[in-house]
Structure formats: C-alpha cells, structure tokens
C-alpha cells in the first residue's frame, strides 16, 4: 500500500510513482540553481530516466527499511520532497530531510508538511525522537524546526560538504514528550 499523508485540502505527501520520473527530473532541473546552493546533488547532470532506479528504490525502501521519501503535491502538482532520511527503529528515532521548489516557498507548505510528518512519525511509526539537521547558512531551512518548536541541540563542526568546502550544521530535536507538551 503506498504511503500517503493528507496535510491540508490543497496539500498531500505521497510516494512518487515510477511513471512520474520525468516530472521529478523536470522539477529538479528547473530548480537546479536554487537547490544546489545547499544540496550539492542538484548539480549532478542527469537524464530523466536516471530517476527511474531512484524512484524504484524509494518505493522498495519506504516503510520496509530505514527511510521514507514522499513527494509533496500542492494542488496535485509535485513541488518538492519531504521524508525521513533515516529511521532507527531500534532507538525509535529518525531525522527529517526536505526541499521545495523555489516558486512554492513562503506559502507554509514545508512547515505544514514537516508538522504532518512529525505526527505520522510519533503516532504511526511509534518514534520517540525526531531530528532535523540544517546547514547553519540555510536560514530558510532553519526557520522550519524553529517555527515548530524544535530545540537546537548542537552545532556540528564541518558537517556538510558543498561548493568544495565544509560547513557547520545545527541539529534540532523534538522528543515525543516535548511534542505532546507543545500541543497542550
């Protein structure tokens, strides 16, 4: 059964179907310069068919292994990705990764998606701790965990490699108890 999270009326997260490989390639290509500032993989030269194997692997891995990758669909159009980059089932912990097309920033899309993914992680997957690791220079990405009440736990020295250099990262965390306390 494909994974799907209804975020709000105009916004859904779900597994990207393999037949959508051209759509994903096009989205990355259009946003290449914007994404590559903090996501070096966006600079890789790819052909649409290069995404077929990736989508097949995501579909196999979702829910069966240590990750979950979902497409973000705003008004039924793919506009980004959000998911658990890693899920440690033994320790009941995970970390979230995300990116969004530049044309869809500033609409609350990513904040709402991350919030829905957190709820899914706690209530469906039974997680206890969720982390978000962001580049210290990515101010837009930093706003997401801060807006949602995450605690900045640590600054990680030279955690990210991009543009031929190393950059620090902030690790934010939210435990299930902290999340529940925020909801009261």
């Amino acid at each position: 059964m494909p994974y799907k999270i209804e975020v709000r009326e105009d916004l859904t997260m779900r597994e990207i179907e393999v037949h959508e490989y051209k759509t994903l390639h096009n989205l990355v290509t259009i946003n290449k310069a914007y994404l590559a500032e903090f996501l070096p993989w966006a600079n890789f030269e790819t052909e649409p068919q290069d995404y077929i194997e990736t989508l097949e692997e995501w579909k196999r891995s979702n829910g069966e292994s240590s990750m979950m990758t979902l497409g973000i669909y705003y008004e039924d159009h793919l506009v980004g990705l959000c998911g658990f980059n890693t899920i440690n089932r033994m320790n009941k912990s995970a970390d979230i990764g995300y990116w969004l097309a530049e044309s869809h920033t500033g609409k609350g899309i990513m904040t709402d998606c991350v919030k829905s993914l957190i709820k899914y992680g706690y209530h469906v997957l039974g997680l206890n701790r969720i982390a978000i690791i962001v580049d210290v220079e990515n101010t837009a990405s930093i706003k997401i965990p801060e807006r949602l009440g995450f605690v900045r736990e640590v600054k990680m020295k030279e955690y990210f490699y991009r543009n031929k250099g190393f950059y620090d990262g902030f690790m934010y965390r939210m435990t299930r108890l902290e999340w529940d306390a925020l909801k009261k």
Side-chain angles (χ1 to χ4, degrees), residues 73-87:
Y73 293 82
Y74 179 71
E75 297 178 345
D76 295 322
H77 294 93
L78 181 65
V79 297
L81 296 179
C82 184
F84 293 115
N85 290 337
T86 61
I87 301 171

Side-chain angles (χ1 to χ4, degrees), residues 92-138:
K92 298 183 181 289
S93 63
D95 69 272
I96 293 176
Y98 47 81
W99 63 263
L100 190 63
E102 184 175 21
S103 61
H104 287 78
T105 61
K107 299 177 182 179
I109 290 172
M110 194 55 74
T111 299
D112 288 348
C113 286
V114 171
K115 184 177 183 179
S116 293
L117 189 65
I118 292 165
K119 289 178 189 175
Y120 186 89
Y122 291 138
H123 300 293
V124 178
L125 299 180
L127 298 175
N128 180 62
R129 175 190 165 94
I130 295 175
I132 299 175
I133 303 170
V134 298
D135 190 306
V136 298
E137 294 185 7
N138 191 341

Side-chain angles (χ1 to χ4, degrees), residues 2-20:
Y3 291 90
K4 183 176 182 178
I5 300 172
E6 296 291 340
V7 179
R8 58 187 201 215
E9 189 175 310
D10 59 350
L11 189 58
T12 302
M13 292 189 299
R14 67 168 173 80
E15 287 182 318
I16 304 171
E17 298 297 330
V18 176
H19 67 83
E20 296 176 275

Side-chain angles (χ1 to χ4, degrees), residues 15-115:
E15 287 182 318
I16 304 171
E17 298 297 330
V18 176
H19 67 83
E20 296 176 275
Y21 70 95
K22 289 180 184 175
T23 303
L24 179 57
H25 178 267
N26 189 47
L27 184 65
V28 171
T29 300
I30 289 169
N31 288 279
K32 185 179 284 251
Y34 173 71
L35 294 173
E37 182 178 359
F38 294 105
L39 302 170
W41 57 260
N43 270 328
F44 298 156
E45 290 300 320
T46 60
E47 296 297 324
Q49 62 272 17
D50 295 338
Y51 283 85
I52 294 173
E53 187 176 331
T54 299
L55 291 170
E56 288 172 342
E57 178 58 31
W58 289 349
K59 200 159 188 66
R60 275 191 304 274
S61 297
N62 277 348
E64 297 302 320
S65 68
S66 58
M67 63 171 283
M68 176 182 285
T69 305
L70 302 173
I72 299 170
Y73 293 82
Y74 179 71
E75 297 178 345
D76 295 322
H77 294 93
L78 181 65
V79 297
L81 296 179
C82 184
F84 293 115
N85 290 337
T86 61
I87 301 171
N88 183 325
R89 294 193 187 277
M90 178 75 72
N91 292 319
K92 298 183 181 289
S93 63
D95 69 272
I96 293 176
Y98 47 81
W99 63 263
L100 190 63
E102 184 175 21
S103 61
H104 287 78
T105 61
K107 299 177 182 179
I109 290 172
M110 194 55 74
T111 299
D112 288 348
C113 286
V114 171
K115 184 177 183 179

Side-chain angles (χ1 to χ4, degrees), residues 93-95 128-134 142 145-146 149-157 169-175 178:
S93 63
D95 69 272
N128 180 62
R129 175 190 165 94
I130 295 175
I132 299 175
I133 303 170
V134 298
I142 287 170
E146 290 184 351
F150 275 65
V151 175
R152 184 185 296 175
E153 194 167 66
V154 67
K155 183 176 183 180
M156 301 180 328
K157 186 78 174 155
F170 289 134
M171 176 184 278
Y172 290 85
R173 68 119 210 291
M174 178 74 68
T175 66
E178 291 167 334

